[in-house]
Amino acid sequence: MQNFTHCIPTTVYFGKGQVKAVSEELKKQAKKVLIVTGGGSVKKYGIFDDVIKQVKKAGIEYVELSGIKPNPRLKSVYRGIETCKKESVDFILAVGGGSVIDAAKTIAAGVKYNGDVWDFFIKDKGLFPADALPIGCVLTIAATGSEMNENAVITKEDTRRKLAFGSPLLRPVFSILDPEYTYTVNKYHTAAGVADIMAHVFEQYFSHTPAYAQDRMAEALLKTCIHYGPIVCEKPRDYVARANIMWASSLALNDLIGEGKEQDWASHGIEHELSAVYDISHGVGLAIIAPNWMRHVLSEKTIGKFLEYGINVWGIDKNKDKMAIANEAIDKSRKFFNSLGLPEKLSEVNISNERFQDMARNATKHYGKVGHFKELSEKDIVEILNMSL
Ligand code: NZQ
Ligand code: ZN
């Protein structure tokens, strides 16, 4: 295991009615809040009203930034930065999913930076925020783990680049996780969220660094998704299922299972190119790419991890031929995503091979190295994309 420093300072309020904690949290640290929301769901389903009640109870002033789109755009971040500066905002409250939270985080860093906040996303510049406004979250969809991690992913619309940056300053100081707030998420986005959670686990699990404790926890999260994923898709108001998926989403990407390990992140690198150019749902892109990435990287050198995955997660008979176990595990992953109603092929989301070469070039150019479990060349990426057509 590699050395690591583990610090997750986010206070999580988990469960029914936990929104009531918002007023006390705000009273501790805010005078004027920017409330960031998405395309309208939180207003339609009453979550926004619950939050406003708490903000008013705390006697805190607020301004709003609504209309953050899935795959959030840099322009909306600039709007938020401007509002914060003009209104002397000292705290940002994100009410929504990963897109809203990521926009809020980027605004938080941008307000305290004199240059263009996009600088932080360009790896070559080597810049990190020196300061940021504090942020809090009311999570409304289980998927990204952004509610408990330090990352943000933003799309620059003119160049169609979708990039990530991170800083410990961006970890939310508190997050409200009420599983009832996810009852209204439709089947498509619920399933995409489950695929995203599983993909986060894959990125950290498929590694050459031995880490027994992290890997058994990772397997537990995968099993949680396999058990409760179909239930949240079919019975959206099942509290126990929504609760398990919601907590799995936070645990899958809050550093817990990845500490001390070399991590992969190739499937995410490839998917971010797809959603940057074609604006598809992140989890949908991952459901298409991840099993093909698995098939591409499976070899005599990597088979050990696939055996653990097949035997421990899918319960495949350990006495079978090794390659057969690995391939069966990959088949089961694919079938599972299909069973949630997610697409299997890029053609199902209207993506052709037209831009594959550009996307592969962009991914390798930006990240320098795509993948660690197996390092991918441009040619490898194009091959995985072609397998996904
Ligand atoms: O926009 P609204 O109206 O809110 O509707 C949203 C959106 O259409 C809807 N939704 C959310 N909560 C709802 C609801 N609908 C009904 N009831 C509710 N309670 O769901 C749709 C998707 O929302 P979005 O926030 O885009 O989903 P998600 O949480 O999956 O976030 C995806 C974004 O996060 C990035 C992705 O790349 C993508 O841009 N990621 C962020 C990461 C991070 N910060 O750590 C890591 C991830 O790997 C990922 O890259
Ligand atoms: Zn993801």
Side-chain angles (χ1 to χ4, degrees):
M1 218 189 286
Q2 300 166 348
N3 291 3
F4 61 86
T5 305
H6 187 73
C7 177
I8 310 178
T10 306
T11 303
V12 172
Y13 294 91
F14 190 97
K16 291 181 197 188
Q18 288 285 37
V19 71
K20 65 180 186 299
V22 167
S23 61
E24 282 310 311
E25 282 289 346
L26 290 183
K27 264 198 250 173
K28 274 191 245 169
Q29 49 208 326
K31 288 198 177 65
K32 191 161 190 180
V33 180
L34 177 74
I35 303 180
V36 185
T37 59
S41 66
V42 299
K43 293 194 175 170
K44 186 169 168 194
Y45 298 116
I47 302 168
F48 187 75
D49 289 344
D50 289 354
V51 172
I52 292 300
K53 218 181 270 171
Q54 294 302 319
V55 175
K56 288 187 173 157
K57 192 173 153 199
I60 307 275
E61 279 186 79
Y62 70 92
V63 278
E64 264 188 77
L65 175 71
S66 57
I68 300 295
K69 291 188 175 140
N71 299 322
R73 316 301 149 96
L74 186 60
K75 272 193 186 144
S76 57
V77 168
Y78 291 152
R79 269 200 290 133
I81 294 171
E82 228 177 272
T83 307
C84 286
K85 286 184 175 167
K86 198 169 117 211
E87 300 283 343
S88 304
V89 162
D90 60 3
F91 192 93
I92 304 182
L93 183 60
V95 185
S99 296
V100 168
I101 301 170
D102 287 3
K105 285 175 173 175
T106 312
I107 294 165
V111 172
K112 297 283 187 175
Y113 179 58
N114 283 332
D116 181 350
V117 71
W118 188 248
D119 290 347
F120 296 130
F121 292 83
I122 310 293
K123 280 217 162 15
D124 287 350
K125 295 201 181 212
L127 290 168
F128 295 93
D131 197 4
L133 289 180
I135 81 154
C137 300
V138 177
L139 183 67
T140 65
I141 175 172
T144 63
S146 189
E147 66 277 8
M148 230 178 145
N149 71 36
E150 57 181 51
N151 308 315
V153 186
I154 296 291
T155 299
K156 189 170 188 305
E157 45 280 80
D158 52 350
T159 54
R160 301 234 57 97
R161 294 310 323 271
K162 182 180 183 183
L163 301 175
F165 85 118
S167 159
L169 296 167
L170 302 182
R171 230 183 260 269
V173 291
F174 70 88
S175 282
I176 308 294
L177 272 61
D178 182 341
E180 289 190 334
Y181 282 170
T182 65
Y183 282 177
T184 50
V185 180
N186 65 26
K187 185 177 172 185
Y188 190 74
H189 286 118
T190 297
V194 172
D196 192 23
I197 298 166
M198 292 178 74
H200 294 157
V201 178
F202 296 151
E203 303 283 20
Q204 298 163 87
Y205 181 76
F206 285 98
S207 161
H208 299 290
T209 320
Y212 190 92
Q214 289 90 321
D215 287 355
R216 301 298 81 75
M217 289 192 276
E219 287 162 0
L221 293 176
L222 291 170
K223 284 173 147 180
T224 303
C225 290
I226 292 164
H227 181 74
Y228 285 112
I231 304 177
V232 282
C233 288
E234 294 314 319
K235 295 185 190 162
R237 302 180 81 81
D238 185 310
Y239 184 82
V240 173
R242 287 289 196 186
N244 275 280
I245 291 296
M246 196 171 211
W247 190 222
S249 90
S250 303
L251 294 178
L253 198 51
N254 72 351
D255 293 345
L256 182 70
I257 62 166
E259 296 291 25
K261 296 191 71 179
E262 187 174 64
Q263 305 178 15
D264 191 74
W265 296 102
S267 298
H268 269 70
I270 299 172
E271 195 297 313
H272 283 170
E273 294 301 321
L274 290 169
S275 47
V277 176
Y278 295 98
D279 203 14
I280 60 170
S281 285
H282 172 63
V284 169
L286 287 167
I288 298 170
I289 296 295
N292 292 325
W293 168 84
M294 288 181 183
R295 194 85 69 194
H296 183 84
V297 303
L298 172 61
S299 69
E300 285 303 331
K301 190 169 170 229
T302 61
I303 193 165
K305 207 73 215 175
F306 283 98
L307 294 178
E308 283 179 44
Y309 175 54
I311 294 163
N312 298 344
V313 176
W314 291 107
I316 300 170
D317 179 356
K318 65 177 189 307
N319 297 313
K320 284 187 176 175
D321 168 73
K322 286 185 177 167
M323 227 7 123
I325 295 174
N327 277 305
E328 192 176 332
I330 299 171
D331 291 342
K332 283 184 182 290
S333 314
R334 162 63 65 218
K335 280 197 190 122
F336 177 74
F337 291 144
N338 291 357
S339 76
L340 299 183
L342 290 165
E344 178 176 340
K345 301 273 174 205
L346 290 173
S347 51
E348 291 171 60
V349 288
N350 300 318
I351 296 179
S352 69
N353 62 359
E354 203 182 338
R355 309 275 301 264
F356 285 180
Q357 199 64 55
D358 290 348
M359 291 192 280
R361 193 174 313 116
N362 279 338
T364 45
K365 197 171 81 188
H366 181 74
Y367 295 102
K369 192 170 168 184
V370 180
H372 288 273
F373 188 53
K374 180 179 184 269
E375 193 180 332
L376 302 182
S377 64
E378 263 182 60
K379 187 167 160 276
D380 290 313
I381 296 175
V382 171
E383 222 168 288
I384 292 168
L385 287 166
N386 275 319
M387 288 163 80
S388 310
L389 258 183

